[in-house]
Amino acid sequence: AVTASATEAVLRKNPQVSQLDADLLRISKEIRDLLPPGLCALESPSKTYGYVRELNAMPAVLSLQRGNARAQRIAEIVVAADQELRFLSDSELDRIHSEIAAGDSLDAATLRRAAAKILRDFKGTIVEGAQEAIIEDMPALLQSTGALSNEHVALAYWSELEHLLRLSQYATAAALSTFTDEQQIELVQATLRKHNITTQVLNLSLTSMQKRANFLCKCSQVAPKCWVASHFALLHLIERLE
């Protein structure tokens, strides 16, 4: 049998092997970083379109583009953020705030901006609310035969929840009551079924995220009533994805 010390001796004589291992790890990480976050990363990419998200910001953008000039300017801001798969920044939220205040009311715009900032700044904490709920209420999901026992599936699912939170942030900031369409909802549900993730699991996740977001908003010293804005954005997802 080859001993561990003998193997180490060979590796010392051939440092290029260690370098190769390091290169393989680096390349593997770079490939993972290229994958989009969420459940779509578990699917084979389309030869034409690459990785295609089941639920994206297009319905929200189209809804805004069909609106007045202010809504169309907000659509441009949302498109810029969505192209980079990121939450709206402070400067973008300020611009949206100005557009909504001009057409609605300053108080409503201020509440929406405050809620949108909390959804972004505490996104990790909010998604953790879903993780904690699953550990407590559905622990079998994380065990050997559970739907989330595979590390890659679990990471993709948590990432999908953050993606859904990002879409909710867009809707919260832009004053959208709906931001999904039927075809995308069916695609999400089909993907969940493929990975044995039931609608009950998603419902628990989104409901827990909503409760965590509500709590964080109510703790805000700037606008404790802002929870209403984010509450109804997440409620839209909960009701559509039942």
Side-chain angles (χ1 to χ4, degrees):
V2 178
T3 64
S5 59
T7 302
E8 292 172 0
V10 171
L11 290 175
R12 283 195 298 271
K13 291 179 181 179
N14 298 275
Q16 66 272 22
V17 175
S18 296
Q19 183 59 48
L20 178 60
D21 285 342
D23 288 341
L24 288 173
L25 287 173
R26 175 182 55 78
I27 293 170
S28 176
K29 181 181 184 303
E30 289 177 359
I31 291 174
R32 287 197 304 272
D33 290 343
L34 290 174
L35 294 175
L39 293 173
C40 65
L42 300 175
E43 307 298 320
S44 299
S46 162
K47 292 181 179 178
T48 304
Y49 303 105
Y51 289 97
V52 179
R53 274 204 175 281
E54 295 81 8
L55 188 63
N56 56 46
M58 188 54 65
V61 170
L62 291 175
S63 178
L64 290 166
Q65 289 175 339
R66 288 192 292 265
N68 57 28
R70 286 190 296 273
Q72 291 170 14
R73 288 192 290 269
I74 293 174
E76 293 176 359
I77 298 170
V78 171
V79 167
D82 186 56
Q83 285 179 338
E84 298 178 0
L85 300 179
R86 60 174 174 77
F87 286 71
L88 294 162
S89 67
D90 280 352
S91 61
E92 289 168 331
L93 289 173
D94 288 344
R95 288 161 59 197
I96 293 174
H97 174 270
S98 298
E99 297 289 357
I100 292 179
D104 188 359
S105 73
L106 178 61
D107 288 344
T110 300
L111 290 176
R112 290 190 171 281
R113 180 176 59 182
K117 285 186 177 182
I118 287 173
L119 294 183
R120 180 199 65 205
D121 293 345
F122 294 94
K123 60 181 183 288
T125 302
I126 293 170
V127 173
E128 282 175 5
Q131 295 171 337
E132 292 168 5
I134 287 175
I135 291 171
E136 182 175 347
D137 297 344
M138 296 182 172
L141 287 171
L142 302 169
Q143 295 171 3
S144 58
T145 59
L148 300 179
S149 60
N150 181 288
E151 180 183 4
H152 296 296
V153 175
L155 288 175
Y157 181 66
W158 308 135
S159 182
E160 185 72 20
L161 293 181
E162 185 173 311
H163 166 67
L164 295 178
L165 184 65
R166 177 168 61 86
L167 297 183
S168 298
Q169 192 226 16
Y170 295 166
T172 298
L176 290 172
S177 57
T178 62
F179 53 97
T180 59
D181 65 29
E182 194 61 37
Q183 183 180 14
Q184 289 195 357
I185 292 297
E186 291 175 359
L187 288 172
V188 172
Q189 292 171 334
T191 300
L192 290 170
R193 287 194 298 270
K194 184 175 182 179
H195 297 287
N196 299 315
I197 301 172
T198 65
T199 54
Q200 290 82 1
V201 174
L202 184 60
N203 184 273
L204 174 63
S205 301
L206 292 174
T207 301
S208 301
M209 288 166 62
Q210 183 191 52
K211 290 178 181 177
R212 181 68 59 89
N214 287 351
F215 173 78
L216 291 167
C217 286
K218 290 176 182 179
C219 291
S220 168
Q221 296 181 347
V222 177
K225 294 182 180 179
C226 72
W227 68 272
V228 176
S230 59
H231 175 89
F232 284 102
L234 285 163
L235 181 62
H236 170 69
L237 285 179
I238 293 168
E239 291 179 342
R240 292 301 308 276
L241 289 166
E242 283 183 334

